Amino acid sequence: MSVAAQLNQDNTPPETAGEIPGIAWVNGEFQPLSEAKLSLLDWGFVRGDCTYDVASVFKGAFFRLDDHVDRFLSSMAKLRLTMPFDRDGLIEVMTECARRPGLRDAFVKMVCTRGLQPPSFSRNPRDALNQLFVYSVPYTFFMTEEQRARGMHLHVASTPRIPTECIDPTIKNYNRLDFVSGIFEAYDAGADQVVMPDMHGNITEGLGFNVFVIRDGRATSPGTGVLEGVTRKVVLELCEDIGLPARLGTISVEDLLSADEAFLCTTAGGVVGITEVNGRTIANGMPRETTRRLDDLYWAKHEDPAYITPIDYGT
Ligand SMILES: *Cc1c(COP(=O)(O)O)cnc(C)c1O
């Protein structure tokens, strides 16, 4: 059975039928997701001054919860954002967001924004009241079943990712206009998704995924200029488990085009082959053995007690 088929895609709980199935925690209250609102004046919206993270729940358990919470708290610290409770309090709200609507396959997202200025309309970020939003939505794959089966066709954008020197890419952020123009370019070129180069033309990442190439019996993923994906971290561990040397390094476009195998990895889909780049076929044009093996192992880890945090739904 495919992973997509295992997921209960239509897990609309009765109490929210007809609405977006999920709930949000905003300003200390749980609300139906469809009613959750952000102020027009919030700096998260006005200035992109915010950070977020996305954890997944699969078959009723968080996957690598601590990694997502650690990354979120570290992003908040780098941006000098604060929230109304500690780590345990955050995990409690995240858990409630999955438990209350009965979502067993979900994304639990959290966003912390700089928030609202005081009535004086101060332009001093230190005066803003930071806002935390936590919400759940049903788990959905980033790619279609067909794309998972045949591998993703990527387009390397003609313009670079916002340089690391300007916006720290290890902070998961909503400053995404570089990706958005790249995605339009990819669609115009007939590709499924964009992958961004850096200022030197080396491969960085896509909107929500990291990239790996396997060449000469070794796996490499870009070490700088990218968000440090939790899935990337898991893949590095899986490579070690199967005795495949893996490292963080530099990947040129040529490395990608001439790879023995290439794949992307994301919380929103696991390990998925990359089989075409800029209209050129990678390897034999189908996801190959190691890619498929890593994806199988990735999903198998969703039942490994060392990787998961079960949620008590009380049923
Ligand atoms: C979220 C994200 C990823 C993937 O991270 P995971 O933790 O593996 O889901 C990669 N790149 C960017 C830009 C992202 O926002």
Side-chain angles (χ1 to χ4, degrees):
M1 186 167 40
S2 76
V3 175
Q6 285 183 49
L7 286 172
N8 175 12
Q9 296 281 9
D10 185 30
N11 53 4
T12 312
E15 66 270 33
T16 55
E19 298 173 4
I20 309 169
I23 61 166
W25 185 92
V26 183
N27 276 330
E29 278 178 24
F30 288 101
Q31 314 177 346
L33 186 58
S34 52
E35 283 168 26
K37 300 276 189 302
L38 174 75
S39 167
L40 273 183
L41 303 177
D42 193 303
W43 282 21
F45 172 61
V46 179
R47 303 192 174 170
D49 185 357
C50 59
T51 184
Y52 77 105
D53 215 287
V54 184
S56 65
V57 172
F58 181 72
K59 293 185 180 171
F62 280 107
F63 186 66
R64 298 289 287 231
L65 176 61
D66 282 334
D67 286 329
H68 288 282
V69 172
D70 286 347
R71 186 172 65 188
F72 184 59
L73 296 181
S74 127
S75 294
M76 281 182 48
K78 286 178 192 167
L79 293 177
R80 305 200 212 179
L81 290 165
T82 56
M83 64 174 175
F85 31 58
D86 62 9
R87 181 192 181 89
D88 287 346
L90 174 67
I91 290 176
E92 211 176 300
V93 171
M94 292 173 68
T95 305
E96 284 298 292
C97 281
R99 195 188 66 78
R100 290 193 183 209
L103 288 173
R104 283 177 161 75
D105 301 310
F107 292 126
V108 175
K109 307 194 180 194
M110 49 259 195
V111 188
C112 188
T113 69
R114 187 71 56 199
L116 300 171
Q117 311 97 316
S120 63
F121 286 95
S122 159
R123 290 173 183 270
N124 182 343
R126 285 174 296 198
D127 291 340
L129 187 61
N130 301 169
Q131 301 285 307
L132 178 72
F133 304 84
V134 185
Y135 62 101
S136 56
V137 291
Y139 187 100
T140 46
F141 277 85
F142 171 81
M143 60 296 288
T144 64
E145 250 319 274
E146 187 209 335
Q147 288 170 347
R148 285 181 61 78
R150 66 139 157 87
M152 296 290 282
H153 297 171
L154 299 187
H155 171 78
V156 182
S158 64
T159 49
R161 174 105 175 77
I162 296 171
T164 303
E165 292 78 4
C166 301
I167 295 181
D168 179 354
T170 66
I171 299 171
K172 205 165 165 76
N173 68 76
Y174 281 151
N175 294 259
R176 293 288 166 84
L177 293 182
D178 50 351
F179 285 115
V180 173
S181 53
I183 285 172
F184 275 109
E185 211 184 278
Y187 289 165
D188 287 347
D192 301 322
Q193 268 301 327
V194 72
V195 61
M196 305 299 291
D198 65 13
M199 298 287 281
H200 309 287
N202 293 313
I203 296 294
T204 64
E205 61 187 336
L207 181 45
F209 60 83
N210 292 112
V211 171
F212 275 83
V213 297
I214 303 177
R215 280 167 62 92
D216 307 323
R218 188 164 72 169
T220 309
S221 186
T224 56
V226 298
L227 190 271
E228 295 170 349
V230 172
T231 321
R232 181 185 81 163
K233 186 175 173 190
V234 172
V235 167
L236 290 169
E237 293 168 9
L238 294 174
C239 286
E240 192 166 341
D241 290 352
I242 64 172
L244 173 67
R247 55 161 199 160
L248 298 176
T250 302
I251 301 178
S252 67
V253 175
E254 191 43 46
D255 291 334
L256 182 55
L257 288 169
S258 61
D260 298 323
E261 295 189 39
F263 58 83
L264 58 82
C265 62
T266 166
T267 295
V271 176
V272 179
I274 298 169
T275 49
E276 208 178 281
V277 173
N278 289 352
R280 277 173 57 184
T281 299
I282 311 280
N284 63 355
M286 286 301 283
R288 299 183 82 176
E289 195 189 325
T290 309
T291 300
R292 292 205 307 265
R293 186 163 172 214
L294 288 170
D295 189 47
D296 288 345
L297 291 169
Y298 174 77
W299 288 103
K301 286 291 183 195
H302 286 68
E303 306 197 349
D304 179 339
Y307 281 66
I308 63 176
T309 309
I311 294 168
D312 181 2
Y313 291 83
T315 50

